[in-house]
Amino acid sequence: MIRSKIRRARSVLSRPYDVYNRIEVSRSALLHNADFFRRTTGHTVIPVLKGNAYGHGITQVATALKGQHFPYVAVDGYFEALKVREVVSRQPVLVMGMIKPHNFAKLRLRGLTFVVQDEATLRALAQLNKRVKVHLELNTGMNRYGIRPDELDNYLHLLQAAPRLQLEGVMTHLADSDGATTSNIEQAVRAYDAAVDTILSQGFTPRYFHVSQSAGSVRAKSRHANAIRVGIGLYGINPFPIGHPSHSKCKELRPALKLVSTISKVQILKPGDKVSYNYTFTAKKAMRIGILPLGYHEGVQRALSNIGVVKVGNGFVPIVGRVCMNHTMIDITEQDLKDGAEVTVYSNVTDDPNSIESIAHEHDLFTYSLLTGLSPDVRRYLVE
């Protein structure tokens, strides 16, 4: 019985199935943004696809990057790496997150390179007695993961004793890359460069040296850096907040994501009628309210209740009442809209008031969490 139901469900999903909500991801925007960082910095770009490609869909983004020349795409964990490999089998993947050491013996290692942040990981990889490439992460002030300067000699001795491990890269993660000044960046880079000098003096010849993420790439100046890890910037979101001294350096970026929904019902309100939970909105006149079948589960922040807007054509209409788990209400009184009309919830035009950057700035929200908060349940489509 259960197997029969599963087969019927798969049969339905194999046929075209129209959805009320969709996320459009622009391939041309992704490639434009990668090229922007390549041109601006002169460094090799390592696209970062962790966090479901910052909410854009790891499968869709890996597909968009297919055929481009990147030494690596970076992910957090092993299962993200497998999703990339399903799309493009020959693309090397840099796994940056922690893996329990005893699990390495269970993994398919082909095409994978691992960031080493602790001694247990390095010893577990050495015990495999297989050719494995690693990147050492140096702790230059983040104090999250990474190897402290006083620990470095021990790690280098362990690597020298494990000839099948190849030290292919050295990296760090800047804790204050988007800070108001560059003083913390400069201090971290000095620590990084000194550690790299030590590594080179021990006869190691890493190929890749990556200090920076998106924000740091246009600010950090290392003697050794030749690659950058591009995360939020790859998706067209300025890594610097509006008003930051470096914001203008990344104005060329193009947002790659658009969240589209469909009005599924129109409610007619009389003066005094109320809307949604706790009655936080009351109609002062006769109104027409459009119901969107998506809410905070799908990624529309509840903080946008009664203050956010969505785009209709070239104009904008307000969100009214509390955003629900799976529903959002909008005021369409002045719009000639009916059931089935589409609206843009998150715009891919930077200057629109409902773009990710504008929402974060106007409502004190975080661009990263706005994107990664988009539910995997919302279908993603790759567009040009």
Side-chain angles (χ1 to χ4, degrees):
M1 180 67 72
I2 293 176
R3 289 180 179 177
S4 176
K5 289 181 178 179
I6 291 173
R7 282 196 298 270
R8 286 199 296 272
R10 286 176 175 170
S11 176
V12 170
L13 293 176
S14 68
R15 301 193 296 269
Y17 183 86
D18 291 334
V19 293
Y20 277 108
N21 309 307
R22 70 180 184 273
I23 289 171
E24 296 180 358
V25 179
S26 169
R27 178 180 182 273
S28 60
L30 292 169
L31 298 183
H32 165 84
N33 298 331
D35 186 62
F36 165 81
F37 284 100
R38 187 184 298 112
R39 289 185 288 103
T40 302
T41 67
H43 291 336
T44 296
V45 169
I46 300 174
V48 180
L49 273 61
K50 67 179 182 176
N52 197 26
Y54 287 58
H56 291 64
I58 194 167
T59 298
Q60 288 74 21
V61 174
T63 301
L65 300 181
K66 189 175 181 178
Q68 304 298 308
H69 179 68
F70 297 107
Y72 286 104
V73 297
V75 298
D76 181 67
Y78 177 67
F79 292 101
E80 289 180 328
L82 293 183
K83 289 182 179 180
V84 173
R85 302 306 295 278
E86 288 175 0
V87 175
V88 50
S89 60
R90 296 187 178 182
Q91 171 64 62
V93 180
L94 181 65
V95 181
M96 299 189 295
M98 294 292 286
I99 294 174
K100 288 188 175 181
H102 67 267
N103 281 330
F104 283 106
K106 308 172 186 177
L107 307 185
R108 290 179 286 166
L109 302 177
R110 183 180 62 84
L112 303 184
T113 296
F114 297 95
V115 172
V116 172
Q117 303 146 334
D118 68 330
E119 186 176 324
T121 294
L122 186 56
R123 289 186 181 278
L125 289 171
Q127 288 170 4
L128 296 176
N129 196 29
K130 296 180 180 179
R131 288 196 172 277
V132 181
K133 295 178 181 179
V134 299
H135 289 211
L136 286 186
E137 179 173 355
L138 304 174
N139 179 6
T140 57
M142 185 76 170
N143 289 320
R144 185 175 64 183
Y145 286 134
I147 301 161
R148 300 192 311 270
D150 63 319
E151 300 175 310
L152 184 57
D153 284 341
N154 181 50
Y155 281 81
L156 297 180
H157 290 319
L158 290 172
L159 280 166
Q160 288 166 339
R164 303 205 74 184
L165 294 186
Q166 178 186 348
L167 179 56
E168 192 205 31
V170 184
M171 62 174 284
T172 192
H173 192 71
L174 300 174
D176 196 30
S177 60
D178 57 352
T181 71
T182 60
S183 59
N184 288 331
I185 296 174
E186 291 161 1
Q187 182 178 359
V189 169
R190 284 194 297 271
Y192 174 83
D193 283 347
V196 172
D197 288 339
T198 298
I199 292 169
L200 297 176
S201 72
Q202 296 296 315
F204 292 96
T205 56
R207 183 176 182 181
Y208 298 110
F209 301 88
H210 40 117
V211 175
S212 305
Q213 64 276 68
S214 297
S217 69
V218 296
R219 304 179 88 195
K221 307 297 181 185
S222 165
R223 291 185 283 110
H224 296 293
N226 61 9
I228 52 174
R229 302 179 307 278
V230 181
I232 196 74
L234 175 69
Y235 305 101
I237 304 302
N238 198 314
F240 303 102
I242 295 172
H244 190 284
S246 294
H247 183 269
S248 62
K249 293 181 179 180
C250 296
K251 287 287 285 183
E252 288 183 37
L253 296 177
R254 299 177 189 169
L257 179 145
K258 180 164 71 169
L259 174 60
V260 179
S261 189
T262 309
I263 294 175
S264 58
K265 184 175 182 178
V266 176
Q267 288 279 13
I268 306 301
L269 302 187
K270 304 184 299 296
D273 283 349
K274 303 179 188 302
V275 177
S276 194
Y277 290 113
N278 305 119
Y279 293 157
T280 61
F281 179 86
T282 302
K284 296 181 180 179
K285 59 181 182 179
M287 299 180 67
R288 297 173 68 247
I289 300 298
I291 314 302
L292 304 180
L294 82 171
Y296 55 79
H297 167 71
E298 287 76 20
V300 181
Q301 298 286 310
R302 197 167 187 258
L304 298 179
S305 301
N306 290 307
I307 57 175
V309 299
V310 304
K311 190 173 186 178
V312 177
N314 293 319
F316 301 89
V317 300
I319 293 171
V320 295
R322 287 255 167 90
V323 174
C324 308
M325 183 180 291
N326 303 112
H327 302 92
T328 299
M329 284 60 70
I330 59 174
D331 177 5
I332 57 171
T333 306
E334 305 301 325
Q335 308 290 328
D336 184 22
L337 297 177
K338 301 178 176 62
D339 295 2
E342 291 191 344
V343 304
T344 299
V345 179
Y346 289 162
S347 172
N348 60 347
V349 178
T350 302
D351 292 334
D352 280 351
N354 65 328
S355 73
I356 293 295
E357 185 173 341
S358 296
I359 291 170
H361 176 70
E362 291 297 326
H363 306 300
D364 195 26
L365 297 172
F366 189 39
T367 54
Y368 291 72
S369 58
L370 284 168
L371 289 171
T372 59
L374 291 168
S375 171
D377 293 345
V378 182
R379 193 174 298 182
R380 272 78 167 162
Y381 294 90
L382 193 59
V383 300
E384 189 54 36

